[in-house]
Amino acid sequence: MASVWARAFLSPEQLTYWGKWLLFAAAVLLAGWMFAAVVRRRVSYIRLGAPAAFTRYRRSGEGSKGGFGAHVFGHRRLLNDIRSGIMHLIYFYGFIVLQFGAADLIWKGLNGGVPLPLPYYGWFAWSQEMTVALVLAAVLYGAFRRYGERLPRLKRGWKPSLVMWFIGSLMLTVLFALAFERLAAEPGAGHVVASRFAPVSEPLARLLESAGVAPQSVAASAGTEIFWWLHLLVLLGFLVYVPQSKHFHLLTAPVNLWFRRSEPPGRLTPLDLEDEEAESFGAGKIEHFTQKQMLDLYACVECGRCTNVCPASGTGKLLSPMHLIVKLRDHLTEKGAAVTSKSPWLPAGLWQKGREPSAHVMGALLPDWEGAATAGKGTTIVPTMAAQAAAWTVRAGTKPEEVGLVGEVMTEEELWACTTCRNCEEQCPVGNEHVDKIIDMRRYLVLMEGKLPADGQRALQNIERQSNPWGLPRAERAAWMAECESKTGIRVPTMTELKRRGDEADVLLWAGSMGAYDMRSRRVLYALVRLLDKAGVRFATLGAEERSSGDTARRIGNELLFQELCRENIETLAKYGVKRIVTACPHTYNTFKNEYPDFGLSPDVVVEHHTELLARLLAEGALRPSHAVDERVTVHDSCYLGRYNGTYEAPRSLLRAIPGVTIEEMERSRANGMCCGAGGGLMWMEEHSGTRVNHARAAQALEVKPTVISSACPYCLTMMEDGLKALSADEKVIARDVAELLADSVFGE
């Protein structure tokens, strides 16, 4: 009946016009509803997490290199890989530009070819076609990177390739719609731009004409209509697909970057261990993470940059930072759907209700390091990528809410492989944080289940009993002072002695466990003592009152032990009114500077790394390196000095001040320097798969043919020496702290 009335009052042209509008509106409304529903459901999954203290996250970055604008609009971290960065810049700005073209194309299709009333329409059309061509070229290059170059960090298969088909199809449907439109138009039609403004569609139209599509023919009109509808459907399909895929980052990444941390990088959130209402500590379930941590999961691009630089992934361990995020995201999506009874997938979720439950779990599979083509010749992530892809599978009949976060999503093998170096976070273009999630899961393992590797357990017991990882007597902590006086002639006073005679020191020298007990690290400490004495710095030490800083305990996951040591040390520092601390250990430096203030250390206390203090003394003229040290030096950057605290220049400025020293930078240096393998408590734990991280790093250093590998960390020094020995290079190349090299130049030894 309705069709009869419509035919009675509407002409065939009007029926076609309004019918097209109705179909268009129905398609847009359906796609819009599915898009909104999928986004809303994923937001509800994120809200299952613990409320995030968003005040701890900065919401701007005006004018700063690492600001919001630089990351979102400048693609700062994406441009670390210049080719990939430019490709994504074309995608990003291409899509912004092409939204206007899409609106114009759709408007013309709905209104008989009448374009939007835009000024300089010819140049607008030209810019649209050129942008389409650029984006299409970027798609082809992206496919080449994934399937031609076969970059190890990039996944392959139909799912990772789907977006290229979407984007490519969007671009092609635009060009074919414009080309058929040119053929279908009457000569002199005002809505068709001149040939000079159609650099792509005009040649394509002539090609179609030569293939048999006559101008002003039914085929030309049909082609225009077909490709107009195809463009609309692909566009709407892409809209629905985006929030159901890794491309959800188009929406979540800017939000994630807006709320990124304002605190020092990698600073761990304290646990309230006195909370009597807390059911557990750490992250034993996905909902134990904060909502901000969950937002990270949906911001991931799966670009693999994090895994590509991970020292664990590159040396044959199971841990892959990218797969960490992806697996947590999959688990959150599955568990969120189960808890909220809202399917994360549309339209599939409309007819999949009542199906047998299933969930992703991690299988027991280790990387085949020995079978890797480059094993033994350097680093490669290929075995880890393959193992992760094969092990993360769907288990039918398993309810998502019954899957264990630690054990079935993230294995203990993965959690204990992390060196907490933060290179993954430094490379992530969307501001994801990986380390805090690993530490939260370690906290759960250690505090709630009492699980950790035997050698890690031994180190923690020794720290708890004797305040050092070896379990050596506390009474011997001050033994280095007598040896220092014997070797240097300088007597280092204790704070107790100074207080007794009513005197005070300008600087507290924190020896640390390595400086106090390790014979090799003592030599660095003695060089530092001589330099401070030469510069006229009044310094003292705590001697036997010094305790472990607690960094090892905290990174392993024993927050309880860390907080006990932290409060003990703060009380001691307050007792002597310490205003300035210097230490040669970046781990102690980071903990004192960035984490102790959470537990009561006065903000007036200045914490310096020894390279910072020595660089300042050089600038003031208190130290004068005058003796030549003829060495070819490469600098190994400590993660906790560099990526955690941004100090890369101080060690290099010391080396540049030494006559005779030539600095040769490794391929991976500064912010992209590879970890030595000792961070995150791994200094005290053995590696059981692949090759040792420090062996791989020593091999990288040897590539620049140095005579000295310089570091500014006792852990790094130990690991580099061990690596040189393993590679039988210790007779030609030595590892030395920058303070030792500076002392040689100042004192002529």
Side-chain angles (χ1 to χ4, degrees):
M1 181 65 70
S3 61
V4 172
W5 280 100
R7 285 195 298 271
F9 292 99
L10 297 175
S11 67
E13 292 77 12
Q14 289 175 317
L15 279 172
T16 302
Y17 176 80
W18 288 112
K20 188 172 184 178
W21 264 101
L22 286 172
L23 285 174
F24 167 77
V28 170
L29 288 173
L30 179 61
W33 172 79
M34 285 193 286
F35 171 81
V38 169
V39 171
R40 187 169 60 250
R41 291 175 186 185
R42 276 162 174 73
V43 170
S44 71
Y45 305 160
I46 291 174
R47 295 183 67 180
L48 295 174
F54 281 103
T55 55
R56 295 175 55 234
Y57 296 87
R58 60 174 169 267
R59 302 182 184 183
S60 62
E62 297 84 1
S64 66
K65 181 181 178 183
F68 175 80
H71 284 292
V72 175
F73 300 107
H75 284 33
R76 185 176 74 83
R77 285 182 176 168
L78 277 169
L79 289 170
N80 287 342
D81 180 340
I82 190 67
R83 294 184 295 166
S84 179
I86 292 174
M87 180 182 72
H88 280 87
L89 276 172
I90 293 172
Y91 284 149
F92 182 79
Y93 285 103
F95 263 80
I96 292 175
V97 170
L98 292 176
Q99 297 317 301
F100 299 98
D104 179 59
L105 182 66
I106 291 170
W107 180 258
K108 285 194 296 183
L110 292 171
N111 292 278
V114 179
L116 290 172
L118 299 171
Y120 303 102
Y121 186 80
W123 288 110
F124 165 76
W126 181 89
S127 69
Q128 290 294 312
E129 291 200 16
M130 293 304 294
T131 303
V132 166
L134 275 174
V135 172
L136 198 53
V139 169
L140 294 174
Y141 181 65
F144 171 73
R145 294 269 281 176
R146 193 176 295 269
Y147 296 102
E149 290 187 39
R150 298 187 67 82
L151 295 183
R153 65 179 174 86
L154 297 177
K155 295 180 178 179
R156 280 168 283 280
W158 71 269
K159 281 186 70 175
S161 305
L162 193 55
V163 69
M164 290 189 286
W165 286 104
F166 266 119
I167 298 173
S169 298
L170 280 172
M171 300 305 105
L172 290 174
T173 52
V174 167
L175 294 176
F176 275 97
L178 293 175
F180 275 109
E181 179 188 51
R182 299 186 71 80
L183 287 173
E186 296 293 332
H191 66 277
V192 177
V193 298
S195 298
R196 64 192 180 96
F197 295 122
V200 182
S201 62
E202 173 62 22
L204 183 57
R206 301 288 72 83
L207 185 65
L208 290 171
E209 185 178 359
S210 66
V213 181
Q216 295 87 51
S217 65
V218 174
S221 298
T224 304
E225 196 71 16
I226 289 170
F227 279 99
W228 184 89
W229 277 107
L230 283 175
H231 181 72
L232 176 66
L233 294 175
V234 172
L235 186 64
L236 295 179
F238 195 23
L239 178 71
V240 175
Y241 170 73
V242 161
Q244 304 185 66
S245 68
K246 66 177 183 178
H247 302 286
F248 197 20
H249 77 269
L250 295 171
L251 303 178
T252 54
V255 179
N256 207 43
L257 288 165
W258 184 261
F259 286 108
R260 69 195 185 283
R261 281 179 179 266
S262 59
E263 300 170 339
R267 171 188 168 273
L268 296 176
T269 303
L271 292 182
D272 183 2
L273 298 173
E274 297 180 359
D275 183 2
E276 296 180 356
E277 297 182 2
E279 296 181 359
S280 67
F281 296 106
K285 298 179 180 179
I286 192 72
E287 56 266 33
H288 291 164
F289 289 121
T290 68
Q291 293 170 3
K292 172 60 179 66
Q293 288 176 309
M294 290 184 175
L295 180 61
D296 279 2
L297 310 182
Y298 286 123
C300 180
V301 193
E302 296 185 37
C303 63
R305 285 171 174 80
C306 52
T307 295
N308 202 46
V309 297
C310 175
S313 303
T315 56
K317 316 301 187 291
L318 185 58
L319 174 66
S320 161
M322 177 181 71
H323 290 91
L324 158 74
I325 298 295
V326 169
K327 291 192 297 182
L328 291 178
R329 183 193 67 202
D330 289 348
H331 180 56
L332 171 61
T333 301
E334 291 168 350
K335 189 168 186 178
V339 171
T340 63
S341 299
K342 297 290 185 181
S343 172
W345 317 114
L346 287 175
L350 298 175
W351 56 75
Q352 288 183 348
K353 294 179 181 179
R355 289 182 59 182
E356 182 185 22
S358 62
H360 278 88
V361 293
M362 189 68 180
L365 189 66
L366 292 176
D368 180 17
W369 180 254
E370 297 303 322
T374 56
K377 301 177 183 178
T379 59
T380 175
I381 64 171
V382 172
T384 297
M385 291 287 288
Q388 286 285 351
W392 187 238
T393 55
V394 175
R395 181 191 293 166
T398 299
K399 295 181 179 180
E401 56 269 40
E402 295 176 354
V403 174
L405 176 67
V406 180
E408 292 183 291
V409 177
M410 286 298 296
T411 64
E412 294 181 33
E413 168 82 18
E414 293 169 276
L415 297 180
W416 295 117
C418 180
T419 66
T420 68
C421 72
R422 285 196 62 255
N423 204 353
C424 51
E425 297 177 7
E426 189 67 28
Q427 297 297 320
C428 181
V430 296
N432 279 350
E433 294 177 348
H434 309 73
V435 174
D436 64 334
K437 298 174 184 63
I438 289 175
I439 298 299
D440 281 342
M441 286 183 277
R442 284 184 179 183
R443 284 169 165 175
Y444 179 81
L445 273 175
V446 173
L447 297 176
M448 304 307 299
E449 297 190 357
K451 291 182 179 179
L452 71 163
D455 37 13
Q457 177 68 52
R458 186 163 49 250
L460 290 183
Q461 289 175 344
N462 289 335
I463 291 172
E464 184 175 7
R465 294 167 183 169
Q466 300 295 343
S467 203
N468 67 82
W470 302 277
L472 297 171
R474 288 193 185 192
E476 294 181 8
R477 195 173 191 96
W480 70 270
M481 299 168 66
E483 184 179 275
C484 177
E485 184 175 9
S486 171
K487 291 182 178 296
T488 67
I490 300 171
R491 185 177 183 279
V492 180
T494 63
M495 296 297 287
T496 301
E497 293 172 8
L498 294 184
K499 186 176 183 179
R500 188 182 301 124
R501 61 176 185 248
D503 199 359
E504 60 181 25
D506 296 327
V507 175
L508 169 66
L509 174 59
W510 191 277
S513 295
M514 289 293 287
Y517 291 100
D518 180 65
M519 301 307 293
R520 177 62 184 91
S521 298
R522 281 186 179 183
R523 286 154 51 189
V524 178
L525 190 58
Y526 300 159
L528 178 57
V529 165
R530 295 178 69 197
L531 291 167
L532 295 180
D533 181 72
K534 177 72 174 178
V537 177
R538 297 197 310 162
F539 63 96
T541 185
L542 288 175
E545 289 185 275
E546 188 180 284
R547 296 287 181 266
S548 166
S549 68
D551 166 79
T552 293
R554 190 168 219 202
R555 265 64 201 178
I556 287 179
N558 194 332
E559 182 78 2
L560 177 62
L561 177 56
F562 163 74
Q563 292 191 16
E564 289 175 355
L565 292 166
C566 176
R567 293 193 173 93
E568 231 178 280
N569 285 327
I570 290 174
E571 288 176 7
T572 304
L573 295 172
K575 180 173 71 173
Y576 294 112
V578 173
K579 295 298 182 186
R580 186 177 292 273
I581 303 171
V582 63
T583 178
C585 177
H587 298 261
T588 299
Y589 166 71
N590 176 72
T591 303
F592 279 3
K593 180 181 178 182
N594 298 323
E595 298 184 327
Y596 270 40
D598 283 334
F599 300 92
L601 182 66
S602 170
D604 296 329
V605 176
V606 177
V607 183
E608 286 185 296
H609 186 255
H610 74 300
T611 57
E612 295 175 324
L613 176 57
L614 293 175
R616 181 162 55 83
L617 294 174
L618 273 179
E620 294 171 354
L623 291 174
R624 299 184 184 277
S626 54
H627 300 275
V629 179
D630 296 320
E631 299 286 2
R632 181 183 172 95
V633 180
T634 191
V635 182
H636 166 75
D637 292 285
S638 162
C639 303
Y640 276 75
L641 185 61
R643 279 188 288 270
Y644 276 77
N645 289 283
T647 299
Y648 299 106
E649 189 55 31
R652 289 169 172 81
S653 68
L654 296 178
L655 293 172
R656 283 196 295 268
I658 300 173
V661 165
T662 301
I663 301 177
E664 297 292 337
E665 294 284 8
M666 285 182 261
E667 181 180 353
R668 291 187 61 176
S669 64
R670 293 184 178 262
N672 194 35
M674 181 173 161
C675 179
C676 72
L682 269 66
M683 177 73 180
W684 319 107
M685 290 188 270
E686 286 298 323
E687 299 177 39
H688 300 289
S689 58
T691 191
R692 291 181 62 89
V693 175
N694 63 321
H695 295 178
R697 182 55 171 166
Q700 292 174 0
L702 292 175
E703 288 176 1
V704 298
K705 297 179 172 56
T707 58
V708 174
I709 300 176
S710 176
S711 69
C713 170
Y715 288 6
C716 295
L717 183 65
T718 300
M719 298 299 266
M720 288 299 98
E721 285 192 335
D722 178 75
L724 289 172
K725 290 177 183 176
L727 298 173
S728 302
D730 53 317
E731 293 184 2
K732 295 181 180 179
V733 183
I734 59 174
R736 302 193 73 191
D737 191 276
V738 289
E740 294 179 290
L741 293 168
L742 181 62
D744 285 355
S745 183
V746 170
F747 300 108
E749 298 174 0

